[in-house]
Amino acid sequence: MTNRPNLPSRPSRRAVLTAGAALAGCTAFGATPAHAGTVRRTVGAGRGSLGSGASLYSLVEAFSTWQHRTGTSGEAASLRWLERELRDLGAATGRWYYDYPHYEWKAQVRVGNVNVPTVPLYYEGVGRLKGRAEFVRPVTTSKDGNDPAVLAAVAEAAAAGASVAVLPTTSTTANYPAYDGLVAYNSDPDAPKTGIPTLLVPGRVADRIQRYGADVDFRARTVAARTYCLTGWFGTRTPVADPIVVTTPLSGWFNCAAERGTGLALALALAVELSREHPVFFLGNTGHELSNYGVRAYLADGFDLRPRAVFHLGSALAAAAPGPDGRLELTPRGAASNPGFDAVPGLAAHLATARFGQAAKFPGEGAVWNQLLGPSVPLLSLAGNFRQFHTPDDLPHVTTSPEVLEQAYNAVRAAAGDLISVG
């Protein structure tokens, strides 16, 4: 398996924002659209009902054509596709560039002369290594990033002086059967690392590795790279200071149909719907699997809006699993809000119609927004998990459907109205 960076040209961040402001002819609030004068359609023209299950599912299918690792050719292609979609929906689009450390790698793991799927634990080791893996440790995990079992195994490999670690990994998620295929784990480039190259392989091959051993061919390096978050203004041709913000992560490990695609589809439909009453700023973030790197960079360096409300549509917004009759049903997910559920009439009831329950804390990128905004700005953050999370099996026909997408959208749209009404 390989992961190579797609390095775009490197205009300065100031140049990108200044060019966008010049084209828009206005003050550069937030990420000013670089193409503010190029709106090609009125909102929703020629698209039918964007909130219908069929329309939402078509967006998920298109998005999951690619794999979505930050800095790769797949991500670049999907961002170009999404930029076109935004423009077709009437948005003025922009790109907010940021620098980040890209993990460039190529790896092969052979067990009994048969290649097995693998993905590295990002940034954990660099260099070139070829030979027998002397450290193999099966692990059972329960988190999508910084999992204690994974970190403990890597620390054990470092303490043993291993040159490489191979971890057959089985993922457990509440309410679902264990998953023993290939699973990837989020990693923060800035967090301390052991320096031990660590390769994740499916848990189901643990017994075969015990019998035959594992041969590794690995090379990796960390390089300076640049990518961008994608923005869109709905309901206005020029930026405003107080938009409604609709934001969703765009990057992930594999095709990410339910993980990323369902949130994106709902975010687009919600942005169009809300822009009929008030300007909406759409923010699609890359770098999510790198511990929310893109949104952290944007909020630290590029955010100067005073939003009326913020809606973070995170992972698994319409993830589904087979019910008793075999039809896909929505899986439980979490929601957090400012003001809290008790202070927003109707919020809990509307979210419950799509199996969103109250979360103990703000999830994922929602926590980054909450830290920045505090209690003064209405914020709704939604995210979840499911059996095929961070796996190659997260494909549209496996993990979502038009029916559950429409069910989730109706709940989210109603909840958004609830929150705005108290803002």
Side-chain angles (χ1 to χ4, degrees):
M1 301 182 72
T2 62
N3 188 337
R4 298 182 182 277
N6 183 71
L7 300 178
S9 59
R10 302 174 65 88
S12 71
R13 184 175 300 156
R14 181 179 298 274
V16 171
L17 296 179
T18 302
L23 286 170
C26 62
T27 303
F29 292 111
T32 304
H35 309 281
T38 62
V39 177
R40 300 192 299 178
R41 299 186 184 182
T42 57
V43 172
R47 294 294 299 260
S49 175
L50 192 59
S52 71
S55 182
L56 294 167
Y57 190 76
S58 70
L59 288 169
V60 174
E61 284 189 309
F63 177 80
S64 61
T65 300
W66 304 278
Q67 295 193 354
H68 298 283
R69 297 170 198 173
T70 299
T72 64
S73 60
E75 182 210 44
S78 68
L79 289 173
R80 291 192 297 269
W81 165 81
L82 179 55
E83 193 170 47
R84 292 192 297 270
E85 289 292 319
L86 288 165
R87 294 176 185 174
D88 285 346
L89 290 170
T93 62
R95 299 177 179 184
W96 191 84
Y97 285 87
Y98 64 94
D99 299 314
Y100 76 103
H102 182 85
Y103 192 66
E104 180 182 303
W105 62 276
K106 182 176 182 180
Q108 182 181 77
V109 177
R110 293 179 64 83
V111 180
N113 293 320
V114 175
N115 288 338
V116 299
T118 189
V119 64
L121 188 61
Y122 267 38
Y123 305 103
E124 200 60 51
V126 296
R128 175 70 192 272
L129 179 100
K130 186 173 184 179
R132 179 60 58 103
E134 69 273 25
F135 185 92
V136 177
R137 186 72 72 247
V139 295
T140 299
T141 70
S142 59
K143 294 186 177 180
D144 62 323
N146 298 317
D147 185 274
V150 172
L151 298 180
V154 177
E156 186 181 350
S163 59
V164 64
V166 173
L167 308 184
T169 305
T170 299
S171 173
T172 59
T173 306
N175 304 317
Y176 307 106
Y179 182 89
D180 63 358
L182 183 64
V183 183
Y185 293 88
N186 294 351
S187 184
D188 186 348
D190 300 329
K193 300 294 186 292
T194 64
I196 306 300
T198 302
L199 294 171
L200 306 164
V201 297
R204 61 174 175 261
V205 305
D207 290 342
R208 289 181 57 204
I209 294 179
Q210 186 176 23
R211 187 183 313 162
Y212 299 110
D215 295 303
V216 171
D217 189 350
F218 169 86
R219 69 184 72 180
R221 62 176 182 164
T222 300
V223 298
R226 172 168 286 214
T227 188
Y228 58 91
C229 296
L230 190 57
T231 68
W233 285 93
F234 289 92
T236 178
R237 287 181 176 270
T238 58
V240 300
D242 65 339
I244 294 170
V245 174
V246 176
T247 182
T248 191
L250 302 177
S251 59
W253 294 104
F254 300 102
N255 299 82
C256 304
E259 181 192 352
R260 297 271 79 90
T262 62
L264 172 62
L266 268 60
L268 292 177
L270 184 66
V272 169
E273 177 73 21
L274 296 180
S275 71
R276 296 189 173 105
E277 302 295 331
H278 190 81
V280 170
F281 176 62
F282 170 88
L283 176 65
N285 302 307
T286 53
H288 173 80
E289 78 283 21
L290 311 182
S291 192
N292 306 316
Y293 207 96
V295 72
R296 288 191 287 131
Y298 173 73
L299 293 183
D301 296 340
F303 185 76
D304 54 5
L305 300 171
R306 300 182 296 278
R308 180 176 175 184
V310 175
F311 297 99
H312 161 245
L313 276 58
S315 60
L317 268 285
D325 62 359
R327 290 187 297 179
L328 290 175
E329 298 179 352
L330 287 172
T331 60
R333 283 139 303 132
S337 70
N338 276 328
F341 274 39
D342 293 342
V344 185
L347 181 65
H350 281 135
L351 289 175
T353 64
R355 301 197 72 184
F356 288 103
Q358 188 168 1
K361 60 182 180 179
F362 280 90
E365 294 189 357
V368 183
W369 282 97
N370 183 55
Q371 183 178 19
L372 173 76
L373 299 173
S376 62
V377 177
L379 167 65
L380 178 64
S381 179
L382 307 168
N385 204 330
F386 59 105
R387 184 173 183 263
Q388 297 88 357
F389 196 62
H390 286 198
T391 79
D393 289 324
D394 182 9
L395 302 170
H397 69 282
V398 176
T399 56
T400 193
S401 72
E403 293 76 18
V404 299
L405 278 156
E406 189 166 337
Q407 180 184 353
Y409 176 66
N410 289 336
V412 171
R413 180 181 60 183
D418 297 331
L419 194 72
I420 290 172
S421 68
V422 300

